[in-house]
Amino acid sequence: MITLGSTDILNKKLYLRFKLYQIPSRMTEDQWNRLPPTALNIKSNTSTFIARWAASGAAERANAQSFITELCALLSLEPPQPKTPDESDNAYVFEKTIPSTSGNKNFIDCYKRGHFVLESKQGADADTREAALSLSGEQQRAQRKTGHGQRGSKAWDTAMDKARAQAEKYVRSLPRQELTDGGRPPFIMVVDVGHSIALYTDWPGSRARWKAAMNPSKWRASSCGPCSPCSPRT
């Protein structure tokens, strides 16, 4: 899992965009400062993006599409395209429509044909403010939204697991015309908007068991520090 707020996402972005730089997995501030100016600009843009979205929380429906679109822009990737009336043309879109087993319709949060199914949620960080001294302050604190759970809690962990299961169901429910060269999308992403991205793959294509695409002891990490394990999975 890539966690926003971790220097790792900066390193991965720099490596993907500037492979010749050979960015190590950990960098000191002095190492950052010795990078070429273009690379430093990317660091600045990424830090701004992280800070902007770290302030969000508990509002998946309002925030998810903007977050994904801005992330694509940050990584210089094509964003999802507008949907059309013809579902066969909707190869890379938000809210991809697919049939359900009950005869109704399901909607994939973000979909790219032959590439991935993405399900988004949004939890919230723990409230670290000092205890309120007034009744109105206590009421305001009690009304603070947590969305899909306080990050790091059992409720949040369960919500992320359910999102993964939901994405798996969508992959298996894709109609035949969506299957590129007879295959289904090899990747599932579960996004906690502004916080983390969990990547799963079924390589080598068994479609039987989706597995975390990263080190299972670190695929879920806390944004409170670089790669500090939180709720590790096996």
Side-chain angles (χ1 to χ4, degrees), residues 135-196:
L135 178 60
S136 61
E138 286 290 353
Q139 291 174 338
Q140 182 180 5
R141 191 182 186 118
Q143 292 171 357
R144 187 174 186 269
K145 297 178 180 179
T146 59
H148 290 96
Q150 180 178 304
R151 288 161 181 155
S153 69
K154 184 176 180 180
W156 177 78
D157 205 45
T158 299
M160 298 303 107
D161 284 343
K162 287 183 176 179
R164 172 188 172 180
Q166 184 179 13
E168 289 183 27
K169 178 181 176 181
Y170 289 163
V171 171
R172 296 188 174 102
S173 299
L174 288 170
R176 180 167 298 181
Q177 58 267 31
E178 291 294 331
L179 306 186
T180 303
D181 297 326
R184 302 181 187 277
F187 293 105
I188 283 175
M189 285 185 277
V190 176
V191 175
D192 179 355
V193 175
H195 176 69
S196 59

Side-chain angles (χ1 to χ4, degrees), residues 12 34 76 88 113 117 130 136 152 182 224:
K12 288 179 173 68
R34 291 201 301 268
S76 298
S88 64
R113 185 179 295 150
V117 164
E130 293 183 4
S136 61
C224 60

Side-chain angles (χ1 to χ4, degrees), residues 63-92:
N63 293 332
Q65 294 187 11
S66 296
F67 173 76
I68 294 168
T69 300
E70 290 184 22
L71 180 60
C72 288
L74 180 72
L75 298 173
S76 298
L77 299 173
E78 178 188 20
Q81 301 301 299
K83 285 188 73 174
T84 72
D86 187 347
E87 200 59 49
S88 64
D89 291 335
N90 296 328
Y92 181 27

